[in-house]
Amino acid sequence: MNQNTGYYSGQSLKDALQLYAITDRHWLKEGETLQGAVEQALLGGATMLQLREKHMDSADMEAEAKIIMSLCREHHVPFIINDDVDMACRLGADGVHVGQSDMEAGEVRQLIGPDRIIGVSAQTVDEAVLAESHGADYLGVGAVFPTGSKDDAIEVDHETVRKICQAVSIPVIAIGGITRDNITELNGLGLAGISVISAIFGQPDIRGAAEDLKRRTGEMLREHREQ
């Protein structure tokens, strides 16, 4: 993949993965729209945005995706769609993220072309290496802490995360149960960034939460580089 094309020109994919926000309308507060919540996250410094709405029908999801994609482009942040490769292609999203039970990365690449981002979820070194060999651009590894955002989440111990980071050459982000208070526990694992849902969208001040997480993640990444 050409990592310097599209709406994040001049920024490497690794940099764009520092604070990866994933939507979940479950966390919307009374009177709040998903569009408004996403805009606050982007204003707070989210560096990548994934639309992940498991309980919307396809038509509503596509209408929402068009609005969210427009916001991301205003902020020069890559816009990723969860699972739905066809929708990502139709809308011209910057990429798609697939899980182990979804379409394999090589098939996704054939459909979306060489210049869009493919993210793949992985829980083991073998899954990570296979995803990279099939054309994944980044890996989402977790759950690194207990989480309530995914009912079927499998916990991945931090030593496995470290081994995955060492086994692949593509960027790796941690996901699952990450908060402002436990992020320092991920220091030194070799990560490119973190991916969060409730740590941003479940907070009273979404913009402030994103600003805080971005700062803390930046500190964690700097400490790793200096080690």
Side-chain angles (χ1 to χ4, degrees):
M1 186 199 73
N2 184 341
Q3 295 182 1
N4 288 313
T5 61
Y7 293 91
Y8 56 108
S9 180
Q11 178 178 226
S12 72
L13 176 59
K14 186 174 182 180
D15 289 339
L17 288 165
Q18 179 176 331
L19 181 57
Y20 190 151
I22 301 177
T23 70
D24 184 346
R25 64 194 312 107
H26 164 78
W27 294 105
L28 291 179
K29 295 170 275 294
E30 186 175 355
E32 186 177 52
T33 65
L34 190 62
Q35 176 183 353
V38 166
E39 186 163 28
Q40 288 302 303
L42 294 171
L43 287 169
T47 54
M48 187 176 282
L49 192 287
Q50 180 187 136
L51 182 65
R52 180 184 181 273
E53 297 297 329
K54 294 293 188 178
H55 304 294
M56 294 181 73
D57 64 41
S58 183
D60 288 343
M61 174 85 163
E62 188 155 335
E64 195 82 78
K66 290 176 181 177
I67 295 170
I68 302 302
M69 183 169 68
S70 177
L71 276 175
C72 288
R73 291 184 173 178
E74 287 177 21
H75 290 269
H76 306 287
V77 168
F79 173 68
I80 308 296
I81 290 179
N82 180 263
D83 289 353
D84 197 327
V85 179
D86 290 338
M87 186 183 296
C89 291
R90 282 197 307 275
L91 298 184
D94 293 299
V96 65
H97 187 95
V98 294
Q100 286 296 313
S101 60
D102 303 314
M103 190 181 297
E104 179 269 325
E107 296 177 59
V108 177
R109 179 62 72 201
Q110 290 179 0
L111 292 171
I112 70 172
D115 294 330
R116 290 195 177 110
I117 303 165
I118 298 176
V120 177
S121 299
Q123 284 79 39
T124 69
V125 171
D126 287 345
E127 289 177 354
V129 170
L130 185 64
E132 180 180 31
S133 70
H134 286 171
D137 295 301
Y138 75 87
L139 300 172
V141 175
V144 294
F145 299 106
T147 176
S149 296
K150 286 190 69 177
D151 295 335
D152 59 347
I154 300 171
E155 280 194 55
V156 179
D157 66 79
H158 293 179
E159 185 56 31
T160 298
V161 177
R162 187 195 312 277
K163 289 178 179 177
I164 288 173
C165 292
Q166 293 171 343
V168 298
S169 59
I170 56 177
V172 177
I173 57 172
I175 185 170
I178 300 169
T179 69
R180 66 188 301 276
D181 298 318
N182 63 21
I183 189 172
T184 56
E185 295 178 40
L186 301 173
N187 187 33
L189 300 182
L191 295 163
I194 62 168
S195 186
V196 295
I197 301 174
S198 62
I200 289 179
F201 294 111
Q203 305 308 306
D205 178 3
I206 292 174
R207 181 172 179 173
E211 290 173 345
D212 182 47
L213 277 176
K214 188 174 183 183
R215 177 181 61 80
R216 290 171 185 267
T217 305
E219 291 172 356
M220 187 246 313
L221 297 176
R222 280 193 298 275
E223 287 179 15
H224 174 68
R225 287 193 293 267
E226 291 168 0
Q227 287 178 351

